DNA sequence: TAAATTGGCGCC
DNA sequence: AAAGGGCGCCAATTTA
């Protein structure tokens, strides 16, 4: 039923291929064919392609118009397995994995490629030192399958590898399609906000004016973009400020505050998403960031250049659908609390998350006398490890009503403080604490197969006792958040995988063009919009069942069909 | 002189 | 009302 083939790119751009059995061993001699894309195209029965690296292989296939349904990305798997084994810092290339198999010297990973704006070609170039003979690749693959089986949760770890591999496909496809971007609209926005640009690359007019206002308010020349200068200026005016963070400045009664805050806001847009960004990152009506699935330790994506995951709200006006097309913008509602309900299996929280309506309202009805804000702050405080303020005050109420949910994140925090590792639901693992005996054996105890212990799953990561407690607490906050944020990222990967499958299965012209943690944008012909909305809803529910099994927790979306991104919500 | 760190703020 | 988690980006400053 499932037919797996391994494929590798040859030096001449051809393909080396072999069919594999369930344990990863070839069931026929490998063959070499002259054209990679043709080799893949001519084998439509293959349900999963096993390759070293999607970044190496998949852009070539897409360029030739040969998408694939599924893949197994060996370097993605290596990274996830190393993480699970508590060896996250070790080289993760297939060549390194093979060297470890042979107990030979392990080559270091090549340094990360820096972003080259607008360059697609970089994706085609294999990184030197990572090539591997085909037989060696197959050995690594078979070994990896066994290592999945040796984890404490073989099913979920295999799912994680499959999901992250699917993420690599989605990323390559989105890199290729790009986000529709109207440079002319972007310029309009910049002109409205910042005024004219002056020749010579200096500040645009409105920034210069605001800087003058700041200086006038202080009675001397002050550079608003230099925190040290601003702190000094306030000191001379008799006001002590610890920093120039916005919320701190806004407490002050001083005429410089308003223009200063405004300057900082616009300055950021100018430097991070201004004219030079536009020049660098937008070509032919598309913004093409280079997505990196699993770019963060928690499994959230990053982008390599372009800042695609931090597009300021005001700039989103420039994201405009093509003529006759629409953007379906879908935002998962309160994703992290829903995920916490699913992973902690707290009965009360599952009940609250078992409806499509606003989760915080439901929460406040149950435990906060209808005060939605308090409910929200308490829950986020629990997930983020808030140490003071209202969140802490309301935490007690949360703990009373939802003891298992709070215990789940508390246990994760304790694990972190004690230097142990924590894992997401599918098994992505936190990095070892800095200075916790690094290299070599990590001595993770492996126990039974399958389902969850009651708390967050902690593994021994070589705790070094006698640590500075503020470090330990910071690490506790990190691991506390990690289990929720990371499990949410697990779910989001499955969502993407399900969505791209259903778009393909329905034969739509729709394209996934944007993904940001809990939000997707699909660009589609107007007449497909309804189908796409339904596909997203279904994919969210399927992702929930696939990740968490039989759970009452719902994963609804707020969806908008719009012509411009800024018109969503 | 180049690399690493810091402060600040955009997004989630 | 207060400032907890994850990032990327930019400019300035510090360190090697």
């Amino acid at each position: 039923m499932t037919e797996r083939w391994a494929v590798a790119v040859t030096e001449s751009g051809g393909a080396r291929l072999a069919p594999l059995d369930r344990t990863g061993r070839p069931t026929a001699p490998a063959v070499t064919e002259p054209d990679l894309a043709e080799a893949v195209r001519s084998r439509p029965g293959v349900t999963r392609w096993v390759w070293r690296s999607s970044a190496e292989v998949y852009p070539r296939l897409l360029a030739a118009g040969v998408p694939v349904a599924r893949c197994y990305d060996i370097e993605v798997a290596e990274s996830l397995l190393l993480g699970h084994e508590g060896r996250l810092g070790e080289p993760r290339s297939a060549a390194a994995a093979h060297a470890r198999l042979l107990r030979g010297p392990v080559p270091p990973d090549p340094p990360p490629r820096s972003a080259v704006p607008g360059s697609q070609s970089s994706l085609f170039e294999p990184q030197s030192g990572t090539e591997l003979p085909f037989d060696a690749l197959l050995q690594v693959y078979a070994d990896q399958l066994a290592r999945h089986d040796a984890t404490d949760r073989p099913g979920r770890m295999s799912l994680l590898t499959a999901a992250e591999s699917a993420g690599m496909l989605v990323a390559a496809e989105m890199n290729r399609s790009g986000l529709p971007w109207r440079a002319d609209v972007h310029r309009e926005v910049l002109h409205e906000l910042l005024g004219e640009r002056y020749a010579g690359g200096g500040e645009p007019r409105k920034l210069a004016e605001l800087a003058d206002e700041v200086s006038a308010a202080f009675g001397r020349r002050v550079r608003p973009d230099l925190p040290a200068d601003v702190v000094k200026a306030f000191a001379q005016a008799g006001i002590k400020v610890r920093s120039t963070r916005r919320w701190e400045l806004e407490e002050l009664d001083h005429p410089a505050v308003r223009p200063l805050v405004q300057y900082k806001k616009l300055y950021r847009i100018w430097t991070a998403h201004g004219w030079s960004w536009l020049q660098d990152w937008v070509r032919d009506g598309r913004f093409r960031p280079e997505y990196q699935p699993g770019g963060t330790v928690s499994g959230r994506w990053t982008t390599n250049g372009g800042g695609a995951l931090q597009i300021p709200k005001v700039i989103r006006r420039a994201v405009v659908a093509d003529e006759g097309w629409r953007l379906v913008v879908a935002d998962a509602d309160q994703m992290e609390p829903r995920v916490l309900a699913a992973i902690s299996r707290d009965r009360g929280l599952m009940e609250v998350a078992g409806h499509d309506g606003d989760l915080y309202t439901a929460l406040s009805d149950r435990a906060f006398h209808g005060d939605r804000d308090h409910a929200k702050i308490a829950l986020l405080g629990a997930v983020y490890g808030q140490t003071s303020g209202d969140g802490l005050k309301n935490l007690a109420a949360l703990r009373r009503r939802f003891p298992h949910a709070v215990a789940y994140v508390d246990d994760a925090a304790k694990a972190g403080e004690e230097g142990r590792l924590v894992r997401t639901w599918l098994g992505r693992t936190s990095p070892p604490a800095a200075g916790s005996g690094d290299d070599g054996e990590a001595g993770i105890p492996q126990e039974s197969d399958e389902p969850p212990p009651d708390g967050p799953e902690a593994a021994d990561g070589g705790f070094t006792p006698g640590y500075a407690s503020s470090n330990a607490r910071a690490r506790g906050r990190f691991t506390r958040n990690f289990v929720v944020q990371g499990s949410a990222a697990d779910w989001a990967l499955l969502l993407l995988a399900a969505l791209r499958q259903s778009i393909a299965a329905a034969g739509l012209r729709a394209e996934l063009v944007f993904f940001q943690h809990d939000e997707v944008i699909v660009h589609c012909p107007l007449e497909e919009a309804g189908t796409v909305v339904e596909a997203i809803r279904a994919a969210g529910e399927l992702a929930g069942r696939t990740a968490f099994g039989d759970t009452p927790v719902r994963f609804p979306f707020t969806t908008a069909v719009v012509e411009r991104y800024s018109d969503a919500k």
Side-chain angles (χ1 to χ4, degrees):
Chain A
M1 197 187 91
T2 78
E3 196 176 347
R4 296 188 169 218
W5 279 61
V7 62
V9 183
T10 65
E11 270 176 44
S12 56
R16 183 106 174 118
L17 315 102
L20 306 173
D21 68 14
R22 308 183 60 81
T23 65
R25 288 181 184 74
T27 55
V31 296
T32 300
E33 296 185 6
D35 183 326
L36 170 73
E38 196 44 47
V40 170
R41 196 203 316 267
S42 64
R43 292 176 172 84
V46 175
T47 52
R48 194 180 297 276
W49 287 98
V50 176
W51 54 47
R52 177 180 74 78
S53 153
S54 307
E56 176 199 35
V57 180
Y58 200 42
R60 301 171 199 243
L61 295 179
L62 287 175
V66 185
V68 303
R70 294 186 191 79
C71 77
Y72 175 106
D73 184 312
I74 287 175
E75 294 193 342
V76 155
E78 188 62 26
S79 184
L80 295 170
L81 287 166
L82 282 175
H84 192 279
E85 293 157 1
R87 303 154 64 193
L88 206 60
E90 297 185 32
R92 56 192 66 181
S93 69
H98 189 248
R100 279 189 292 266
L101 265 185
L102 301 185
R103 304 188 185 286
V106 176
D109 285 340
R113 215 166 21 78
S114 61
V116 185
S119 114
Q120 291 281 292
S121 59
S122 58
L123 289 173
F124 289 76
E125 281 147 31
Q127 306 193 330
S128 63
T130 55
E131 297 86 357
L132 199 58
F134 192 63
D135 288 349
L137 197 70
L138 296 186
Q139 285 170 29
V140 171
Y141 175 60
D143 179 61
Q144 285 184 346
L145 292 184
R147 284 159 70 201
H148 281 88
D149 284 341
T151 66
D152 62 340
R153 63 194 79 196
R156 282 184 278 161
M157 269 305 282
S158 303
L159 183 59
L160 178 60
T161 293
E164 185 110 308
S165 295
M168 299 301 287
L169 300 180
V170 171
E173 287 161 1
M174 290 203 304
N175 289 344
R176 185 174 169 78
S177 42
L179 182 64
W181 198 281
R182 285 272 299 271
D184 57 329
V185 176
H186 188 163
R187 278 188 209 99
E188 256 172 54
V189 173
L190 292 178
H191 189 265
E192 271 170 36
L193 293 172
L194 303 173
E196 295 78 31
R197 316 168 65 176
Y198 292 133
E203 291 179 320
R205 177 174 55 81
K206 291 197 183 180
L207 277 181
E209 287 170 4
L210 286 165
D212 288 345
E213 280 185 58
V214 171
S215 296
F218 283 121
R220 72 168 178 84
R221 189 76 215 162
V222 173
R223 298 260 319 261
D225 56 320
L226 298 187
D229 201 17
V230 172
V231 170
K232 203 159 47 169
F234 273 116
Q236 284 164 359
I239 300 175
K240 285 230 177 336
V241 288
R242 289 195 308 283
S243 76
T244 63
R245 289 187 174 83
R246 196 177 71 233
W247 68 82
E248 214 165 310
L249 295 183
E250 281 170 348
E251 301 291 299
L252 307 177
D253 181 23
H254 190 279
V257 169
R258 189 201 56 79
L260 198 48
V261 167
Q262 186 66 8
Y263 179 96
K264 286 149 91 68
K265 190 179 181 62
L266 295 179
Y267 175 81
R268 196 189 139 67
I269 287 167
W270 177 49
T271 56
H273 285 93
W275 291 277
S276 57
W277 179 91
L278 190 54
Q279 178 77 35
D280 286 344
W281 290 102
V282 177
R283 290 254 190 298
D284 306 322
R286 293 290 186 269
F287 166 41
R288 292 197 168 77
E290 208 173 282
Y291 288 98
Q292 305 202 315
T296 77
V297 288
S298 65
R300 280 188 171 187
W301 291 25
T302 59
T303 60
N304 187 8
L309 305 186
Q310 299 97 230
I311 302 168
K313 294 231 160 94
V314 284
I315 301 295
R316 296 180 181 185
R317 250 170 64 196
V319 181
V320 183
D322 291 349
E323 192 69 34
W325 286 51
R326 291 296 183 273
L327 300 169
V328 179
V329 181
D331 215 303
D333 299 328
Q334 309 97 33
M335 176 173 67
E336 293 190 352
R338 288 175 190 278
V339 165
L340 175 58
I343 63 182
S344 68
R345 302 205 189 270
D346 181 284
R347 285 182 58 175
L349 197 56
M350 283 196 295
E351 157 68 22
V352 163
H355 307 274
D356 285 1
D358 179 69
L359 181 139
Y360 296 119
T361 301
L363 190 65
S364 64
D365 288 346
R366 258 185 104 94
F368 292 90
H369 309 106
D371 189 330
R372 183 185 185 276
D373 285 353
H374 279 175
K376 180 174 179 177
I377 287 166
L379 192 53
L380 293 179
V383 171
Y384 288 156
Q386 189 166 11
T387 55
S388 64
D390 283 359
L392 205 61
K393 225 167 46 204
N394 293 315
L395 190 59
L398 197 72
R399 182 173 278 120
R400 232 176 4 254
R401 299 298 184 112
F402 308 103
H404 282 91
V406 177
Y408 194 93
V409 288
D410 282 351
D411 287 352
K414 186 157 179 285
E417 287 173 10
E418 293 174 356
R420 286 176 288 137
L421 306 179
V422 295
R423 309 191 196 282
T424 68
W425 182 253
L426 292 187
R428 193 188 305 269
T429 303
S430 63
S436 72
D438 267 32
D439 276 273
E441 41 48 81
I444 310 282
Q446 304 290 348
E447 328 90 47
S448 61
D449 191 15
E450 273 319 281
D454 230 0
E457 305 109 77
D460 181 53
F463 175 48
T464 310
Y467 224 64
S469 64
S470 86
N471 270 346
R473 281 197 304 273
R475 179 149 179 93
R477 286 193 298 275
F478 167 67
T479 51
R480 171 191 294 272
N481 185 254
F482 180 94
V483 295
V484 179
Q485 185 187 108
S487 298
D490 290 348
W491 173 83
L493 268 181
L494 293 171
L495 162 75
L496 287 175
L499 180 57
R500 90 178 265 283
Q501 288 286 359
S502 79
I503 288 174
L508 302 180
R509 287 200 285 160
E511 286 182 324
L512 250 169
V513 291
F514 187 69
F515 168 60
Q516 182 181 39
H517 313 314
D518 62 353
E519 181 182 6
V520 296
I521 300 181
V522 176
H523 187 222
C524 66
L526 172 60
E527 59 275 16
E528 288 183 2
T531 308
V532 168
V533 168
E534 171 53 23
I536 291 171
R537 192 204 59 73
E541 293 302 327
L542 178 56
R545 288 197 304 279
T546 306
F548 308 117
D550 187 20
T551 175
V553 176
R554 305 291 306 270
F555 294 91
F557 291 85
T558 297
T559 307
V561 179
V562 294
E563 292 183 66
R564 1 181 128 230
Y565 188 14
S566 54
D567 291 338
K569 84 180 169 193

